[in-house]
């Protein structure tokens, strides 16, 4: 079992930055792909990006160039650095863990955090 806890959300003005953290416990995340998703009210949960166990990362087109995913296996933590935030980035952000290779598919993830709210004011 992997327990995930997100933190770092909050209210920020458009153009601002936030860094979300996802702290894992129970198992090492080193062999997991760690994904970030977000869900706005009334919308489907959306893939934001993934940190692969190999150390690379991939970001969805909607956030590419603004968001950066990284991980620190020694701290068992994954990060989501969000810059140039826009009001449309407002959502609850979730991290998740999977061994599956279909890492953009939310149904491939076995473990989820409780989410952290990000609100971007215009």
């Amino acid at each position: 079992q992997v327990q995930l806890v997100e933190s770092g959300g909050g209210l920020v003005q458009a153009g601002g930055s936030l860094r979300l953290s996802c702290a894992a416990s129970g198992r090492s995340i080193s062999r997991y792909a760690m994904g970030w998703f977000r869900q706005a009210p009334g919308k489907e949960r959306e893939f934001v990006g993934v940190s692969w166990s190999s150390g690379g990362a991939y970001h969805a087109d909607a956030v590419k160039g603004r968001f950066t995913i990284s991980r620190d296996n020694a701290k068992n933590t994954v990060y989501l650095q969000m810059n140039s935030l826009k009001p449309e980035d407002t959502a609850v952000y979730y991290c998740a863990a999977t061994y599956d290779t279909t890492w953009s598919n939310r149904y491939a993830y076995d473990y989820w955090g409780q989410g952290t709210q990000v609100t971007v004011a215009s």
Side-chain angles (χ1 to χ4, degrees):
Q1 294 282 342
V2 179
Q3 292 79 43
L4 302 171
V5 178
E6 301 94 337
S7 61
L11 173 65
V12 64
Q13 294 293 316
S17 298
L18 282 174
R19 189 175 83 151
L20 306 184
S21 299
C22 172
S25 60
R27 287 183 182 173
S28 169
I29 64 168
S30 61
R31 293 196 294 169
Y32 284 92
M34 299 298 296
W36 282 97
F37 290 78
R38 65 186 182 185
Q39 189 166 16
K43 294 190 176 181
E44 294 286 317
R45 192 165 296 191
E46 175 188 24
F47 171 73
V48 173
V50 62
S51 167
W52 296 311
S53 59
S54 63
Y58 176 84
H59 305 83
D61 288 345
V63 305
K64 198 168 292 183
R66 299 188 298 122
F67 291 11
T68 303
I69 295 172
S70 62
R71 66 163 68 197
D72 185 336
N73 287 334
K75 294 183 178 180
N76 227 26
T77 300
V78 180
Y79 303 98
L80 178 63
Q81 177 66 46
M82 305 186 294
N83 299 327
S84 302
L85 282 160
K86 305 175 182 180
E88 51 263 44
D89 294 319
T90 295
V92 177
Y93 283 72
Y94 300 89
C95 69
T98 184
Y99 279 137
D100 200 284
T101 57
T102 56
W103 31 261
S104 63
N105 179 0
R106 59 180 173 163
Y107 298 108
Y109 287 79
D110 301 304
Y111 304 104
W112 290 84
Q114 83 290 348
T116 185
Q117 176 71 47
V118 171
T119 303
V120 184
S122 57

